[in-house]
Amino acid sequence: MRKKIKIRFYGATGEVGRSCFVFEKEKTIGVEAGIKLGKNIEFPTIEEKPEILLISHSHLDHVGFIPHLKHNYNIIATKPTRELMPVILSDYARISGFEFNANDIIKRTKIKEFGEKFRVNGFGIELFNAGHILGSAMIKVEDVLYTADFNARGSRILESAKPVKCSTLIIESTYGGREDIIPPLKEELAKLCNIIEETVKRGGIVLIPSFAIGRAQEILIALEAFMRSKRIPKVPIYIDGMIKKAMRIYRMNVIYAKKDLQNQILMSLHDPFLSDFFKVSRHIDRKDVKKPSIIVTTSGMLTGGPVYKYLKLFGEDENSTLVFVGYQAEGTPGRDILEGKRVIRIDEEEKEIKMRIERIKISGHSDRNDLIRFINTIKPSKVILVHGEKDKMKELEEDLISKYDVIAPKLGEEIEV
Ligand SMILES: [Zn+2]
């Protein structure tokens, strides 16, 4: 008989954040080492010290705990993840004020490709494209598939995640709630085009705060294509913050992107990543940024970063538009503005926001229907829900329970499969 696997859940249980699990057979392997971002930073409750860590992708809720590990460990990840980790972790270290050696992380990380079967500590493992950000992986350990963050619908840059046969499915439930239906990408991008057109006509700025890795590249590659085909007016597109670095890593690893994007870069003269439309401000206060233009900058939830410099310059301009393109967590200034607040604290000063506020629903995650379809295609004997707010998980669980053995583990719980 097959030996059972024990899985311990040290985070991402009834919450979005601090993904961290340990699989045990004769030996153990760690899967993910994330932190939870919000008003305070929360760490996973792990005390054991797995010598091998499998990492799905380079977002802080999956890798942020790595710099806090004090034992000797090695990481297994895809090449884009290996290259994006130092970018996001250096930024985290800078903001939090601790020392971080980016080379150390590179040295510890062994690259595995999608579809390459390998064995570690007695486990048979394979990585599959998750379609969430460049190089993001679903991780299959023996007969257990862990989706991590995955997008089953594909994007401008990435191929969609495909269902993988397994007996136990550990699945994210970020958008598992009944209301969590995300409109088709095309529709939302069309909305964005309209907003840009109208704002440029008024002579304003389109300010798009964005997460640095994933969302920003999707938006930029889409805007570049729209501008080239003259679907939106030709104005400078300013790129700021960590987005620039991530953009370079995306370009260097374009082999992990969709075929048509690869072909554009490898076979034709046009390289959207190096487009003339993209500009970088040379001024410390961004005063060289002229209207009308588009600005894509960090941070995505207005929790800091260069977006504040632009709010200072254009926040009171009624002809400009602030466009949210990502999730706004509770307690963040982004969420406050979305809910109607019109003042923001910049450099200890209250500043009124008179820009128009818009929101586009674009996601790197599967929505509720995608999740259910994914599960119904695989038909696993056990479904384990992680990475979702409690009530959303509950709503997803209620719809699955008649067909599947569904578990929403508690923090620290061990499940045998
Ligand atoms: Zn993610």
Side-chain angles (χ1 to χ4, degrees), residues 57 59 61-62 132 149:
H57 69 286
H59 276 157
D61 52 338
H62 299 259
H132 171 65
D149 297 359

Side-chain angles (χ1 to χ4, degrees), residues 105-380:
I105 238 63
I106 295 269
K107 265 191 250 153
R108 286 175 189 271
T109 307
K110 209 174 158 168
I111 292 172
K112 291 291 174 188
E113 298 297 339
F114 293 137
E116 175 188 355
K117 293 189 174 78
F118 57 96
R119 289 195 79 78
V120 178
N121 283 2
F123 292 95
I125 301 168
E126 189 173 349
L127 308 180
F128 298 87
N129 168 46
H132 171 65
I133 63 170
L134 197 75
S136 67
M138 305 194 288
I139 301 171
K140 194 171 181 200
V141 180
E142 301 282 296
D143 211 17
V144 180
L145 180 71
Y146 163 59
T147 65
D149 297 359
F150 78 106
N151 187 354
R153 54 173 70 186
S155 70
R156 302 277 307 198
I157 299 182
L158 301 171
E159 220 55 81
S160 63
K162 305 283 186 302
V164 176
K165 226 174 105 35
C166 64
S167 65
T168 298
L169 177 65
I170 306 175
I171 190 167
E172 67 140 319
S173 37
T174 316
Y175 291 108
R178 296 227 162 84
E179 313 274 285
D180 291 332
I181 306 300
I182 298 165
L185 181 62
K186 260 196 170 147
E187 272 174 32
E188 294 302 294
L189 287 175
K191 250 200 231 170
L192 181 60
C193 287
N194 290 340
I195 293 167
I196 290 170
E197 210 185 320
E198 284 164 21
T199 306
V200 169
K201 239 183 234 163
R202 292 194 302 268
I205 293 277
V206 180
L207 179 57
I208 307 177
S210 172
F211 301 107
I213 301 176
R215 191 66 39 86
Q217 289 71 37
E218 293 285 350
I219 295 282
L220 287 167
I221 291 300
L223 291 182
E224 201 279 334
F226 295 148
M227 203 168 276
R228 198 156 24 91
S229 66
K230 301 194 168 63
R231 192 165 159 199
I232 54 173
K234 196 178 158 204
V235 294
I237 303 172
Y238 286 93
I239 309 179
D240 210 329
M242 215 205 303
I243 296 169
K244 288 176 284 179
K245 256 190 213 161
M247 207 56 183
R248 278 201 290 278
I249 294 172
Y250 261 62
R251 182 176 182 273
M252 289 187 302
N253 290 285
V254 78
I255 193 86
Y256 291 86
K258 269 183 169 171
K259 267 272 164 327
D260 55 344
L261 192 59
Q262 289 180 35
N263 290 345
Q264 261 187 65
I265 293 175
L266 301 174
M267 295 181 190
S268 81
L269 292 174
H270 182 71
D271 184 336
F273 286 91
L274 301 178
S275 171
D276 287 341
F277 301 143
F278 297 142
K279 308 277 182 236
V280 174
S281 166
R282 302 280 167 216
H283 193 284
I284 187 161
D285 292 319
R286 312 305 190 254
K287 284 189 173 144
D288 52 350
V289 171
K290 296 278 178 288
K291 297 194 283 184
S293 58
I294 302 168
I295 301 159
V296 182
T297 181
T298 52
S299 79
M301 301 191 286
L302 308 187
T303 47
V307 69
Y308 276 64
K309 301 196 185 230
Y310 298 103
L311 286 172
K312 218 170 163 176
L313 289 173
F314 306 112
E316 288 177 340
D317 178 23
E318 291 167 14
N319 291 323
S320 292
T321 314
L322 178 61
V323 189
F324 290 104
V325 293
Y327 178 71
Q328 304 298 314
E330 223 158 301
T332 60
R335 178 76 157 251
D336 289 346
I337 289 183
L338 210 52
E339 288 178 349
K341 201 174 153 190
R342 287 294 177 268
V343 280
I344 191 162
R345 278 197 88 77
I346 304 176
D347 302 339
E348 305 302 310
E349 239 177 84
E350 299 257 305
K351 177 124 185 148
E352 201 184 340
I353 301 294
K354 294 182 184 162
M355 305 171 89
R356 299 174 191 211
I357 311 296
E358 297 279 359
R359 181 191 194 179
I360 300 292
K361 283 189 181 166
I362 296 177
S363 177
H365 294 265
S366 302
D367 76 353
R368 177 188 177 78
N369 292 340
D370 298 329
L371 292 172
I372 292 175
R373 208 174 301 125
F374 196 81
I375 296 166
N376 284 340
T377 309
I378 297 175
K379 297 187 180 63

